[in-house]
Amino acid sequence: QVQLVESGGGLVQAGGSLRLSCTTSGRSFSPYRMGWFRQAPGKEREFVAAIIWSGGTTYYGISVKGRFTISRDNAKNTVFLQMNSLKPEDTAVYYCAASKIGVPVTYDYWGQGTQVTVSS
C-alpha cells in the first residue's frame, strides 16, 4: 500500500515563507510524477505544481509561478514545495499526490493534506 504523508504546514504572515514536504512509502513504489494541489474553503481543488520524478521537469500553476518551487529528493522519496512571498489567497489545505504513469495525467495516490494559513 502506497502512503503519502505531508508535513510543514502552519500559520505565516503575508510575505513569509513555508516549506512543505511529502514522503512516500510503500513497497517498491517509484512515481512517474509528484504533484501539489490545494483547496480553499468553498473553492475547487487547484493545481499548484508538479515534478517528473526522473529528470526533474517541473510545472506550475499560474497563481504560484515565480513564488513557489517544487523539488525532490529521490533517495528519500520526498517531494518539497518551497513557498515564498506568501499571500492570504494562498491559504488552503495543500495535498500531495503521486502518479504511477505519465499519460493520462492522473494522480493515483493522495496525502491527507496539510493546512497553510497566511495572515494579512
Side-chain angles (χ1 to χ4, degrees), residues 40-117:
K43 295 188 176 181
E44 293 188 353
R45 186 172 62 196
E46 176 187 12
F47 169 74
V48 175
I51 187 166
I52 306 303
W53 204 250
S54 176
T57 301
T58 57
Y59 305 88
Y60 294 95
I62 293 174
S63 59
V64 306
K65 197 168 187 178
R67 300 187 297 123
F68 291 10
T69 302
I70 188 170
S71 61
R72 85 252 192 253
D73 183 332
N74 295 49
K76 297 182 179 180
N77 291 331
T78 299
V79 63
F80 304 98
L81 185 68
Q82 177 66 43
M83 306 185 294
N84 298 329
S85 302
L86 283 162
K87 305 174 182 179
E89 50 264 43
D90 294 317
T91 296
V93 177
Y94 283 70
Y95 298 92
C96 170
S99 299
K100 292 189 291 187
I101 61 175
V103 180
V105 180
T106 58
Y107 289 86
D108 305 286
Y109 305 104
W110 293 82
Q112 82 287 352
T114 186
Q115 177 71 45
V116 171
T117 302

Side-chain angles (χ1 to χ4, degrees), residues 14-34:
S17 299
L18 281 175
R19 188 173 87 150
L20 306 183
S21 301
C22 172
T23 300
T24 65
S25 63
R27 203 160 44 116
S28 301
F29 176 65
S30 180
Y32 176 83
R33 173 191 302 106
M34 296 289 294

